[in-house]
């Protein structure tokens, strides 16, 4: 217990003292995850809305595929994008591998199905008369869809929060595409894994506490949105 207590006290000191290494690592995590969820939202919200209001052959197959992608292992995403971004890959000339951009791309792939599915569920739970009423009043299909989007705004917020919670805590994509480079691509999750293996348990614990705090805030936000 003495080891754990001492490590916890040291971890708290690192957090309260705004340790440079802790601050840089936390910033990298928040930056890449925030960029990824913005891009995932720009892609996932229209997909979920489109699948929710459209009726066409193959729709159920697309929804099943979207559900499957929600459980896509992070290491598989990392492996596929590693192949794309490596020097031998089709996008190797851009030099994206082991950069924040590569990490953002990987996290976006992970978050997009989550955002799309949450939005799809919100559309399914909305009143069917919203679209028809808007069309009857002379709105275009786009205007009717935007009106529906306003009605389900809390569901959309829940989708964004859930997607952010997914990417902020993932480690596979960040490790494989970012390379865990100090000051550049080292995130909280990858730093915890590295520092703990090096015996720097207190430093890893400090990052773990910060990550736990972020996860707590994300889930509190999600619960608040869902209650509305």
């Amino acid at each position: 217990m003495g080891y754990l207590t001492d490590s916890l006290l040291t971890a708290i000191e690192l957090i309260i003292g705004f340790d440079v290494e802790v601050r840089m690592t936390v910033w990298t995590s928040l930056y890449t995850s925030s960029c990824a969820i913005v891009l995932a939202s720009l892609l996932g919200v229209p997909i979920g809305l489109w699948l929710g209001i459209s009726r066409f052959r193959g729709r159920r197959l697309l929804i099943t595929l979207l559900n499957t992608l929600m459980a896509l292992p992070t290491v598989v995403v990392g492996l596929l994008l590693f192949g794309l971004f490596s020097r031998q890959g089709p996008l190797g000339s851009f030099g994206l591998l082991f950069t924040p951009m590569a990490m953002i791309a990987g996290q976006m792939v992970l978050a997009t199905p989550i955002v799309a599915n949450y939005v799809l569920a919100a559309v399914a739970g909305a009143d069917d008369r919203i679209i028809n009423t808007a069309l009857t009043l002379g709105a275009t299909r786009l205007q009717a869809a935007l009106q529906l989007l306003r009605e389900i705004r809390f569901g959309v917020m829940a989708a964004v929060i859930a997607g952010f919670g997914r990417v902020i805590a993932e480690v596979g994509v960040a490790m494989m595409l970012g390379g865990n480079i100090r000051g550049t691509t080292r995130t909280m999750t990858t730093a915890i894994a590295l520092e703990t293996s090096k015996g720097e348990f207190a430093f890893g614990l400090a990052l773990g506490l910060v990550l736990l705090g972020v996860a707590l805030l994300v889930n509190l936000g999600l619960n608040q949105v869902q209650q509305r």
Side-chain angles (χ1 to χ4, degrees), residues 37 40-41 44-49 51-52 63 66-67 70 110-126 149 152-166 218-219 221-223 225-226:
I37 196 59
S41 299
V45 171
I47 291 175
L49 184 62
L51 285 175
I63 293 176
L66 201 60
N67 290 330
M70 284 188 67
L110 288 175
T112 298
I114 296 174
V115 174
N117 266 296
Y118 267 75
V119 173
L120 175 60
V123 172
L149 199 59
I152 62 169
R153 59 188 180 278
F154 293 120
V156 174
M157 291 171 60
V160 174
I161 293 172
F164 182 79
R166 162 74 158 156
V218 168
N219 281 282
L222 180 59
N223 287 334
V225 170
Q226 289 177 333

Side-chain angles (χ1 to χ4, degrees), residues 21 24-33 95-104 107 170-192 194:
E21 188 72 20
M24 291 173 58
T25 304
V26 172
W27 164 250
T28 301
S29 287
L30 294 177
Y31 169 73
T32 55
S33 298
L96 295 175
L97 193 61
F98 303 137
T99 66
M101 291 300 298
M103 296 166 59
I104 291 171
Q107 292 176 347
E170 75 84 29
V171 62
V173 164
M175 185 74 76
M176 296 182 69
L177 300 180
N180 201 19
I181 302 172
R182 182 180 182 182
T184 305
T185 60
R186 182 171 296 178
T187 64
M188 286 187 282
T189 52
T190 59
I192 290 171
L194 176 66

Side-chain angles (χ1 to χ4, degrees), residues 20-217:
V20 176
E21 188 72 20
V22 172
R23 190 168 65 247
M24 291 173 58
T25 304
V26 172
W27 164 250
T28 301
S29 287
L30 294 177
Y31 169 73
T32 55
S33 298
S34 298
C35 290
I37 196 59
V38 168
L39 295 174
S41 299
L42 292 175
L43 185 60
V45 171
I47 291 175
L49 184 62
W50 171 64
L51 285 175
I53 64 178
S54 301
R55 297 295 182 269
F56 56 90
R57 182 176 297 179
R59 177 176 176 270
R60 293 306 309 172
L61 179 61
L62 287 179
I63 293 176
T64 301
L65 177 61
L66 201 60
N67 290 330
T68 303
L69 291 176
M70 284 188 67
L72 192 63
T74 60
V75 290
V76 174
V77 175
L79 182 64
L80 294 175
L81 292 184
F82 186 93
L84 288 176
F85 296 149
S86 64
R87 290 188 177 183
Q88 293 78 23
L91 301 180
S93 59
F94 293 99
L96 295 175
L97 193 61
F98 303 137
T99 66
M101 291 300 298
M103 296 166 59
I104 291 171
Q107 292 176 347
M108 181 190 71
V109 172
L110 288 175
T112 298
I114 296 174
V115 174
N117 266 296
Y118 267 75
V119 173
L120 175 60
V123 172
D127 193 330
D128 295 335
R129 295 171 295 180
I130 295 175
I131 293 286
N132 293 331
T133 301
L135 293 175
T136 302
L137 294 175
T140 65
R141 292 289 299 180
L142 177 59
Q143 291 172 331
L146 292 176
Q147 179 60 38
L148 175 61
L149 199 59
R150 282 192 288 269
E151 293 293 330
I152 62 169
R153 59 188 180 278
F154 293 120
V156 174
M157 291 171 60
V160 174
I161 293 172
F164 182 79
R166 162 74 158 156
V167 296
I168 191 68
E170 75 84 29
V171 62
V173 164
M175 185 74 76
M176 296 182 69
L177 300 180
N180 201 19
I181 302 172
R182 182 180 182 182
T184 305
T185 60
R186 182 171 296 178
T187 64
M188 286 187 282
T189 52
T190 59
I192 290 171
L194 176 66
E195 297 301 328
T196 303
S197 66
K198 290 165 53 180
E200 297 291 340
F201 182 73
F203 185 80
L205 185 58
L207 293 174
L209 291 175
V210 175
L211 183 60
L212 185 61
V214 173
L216 178 61
L217 290 175

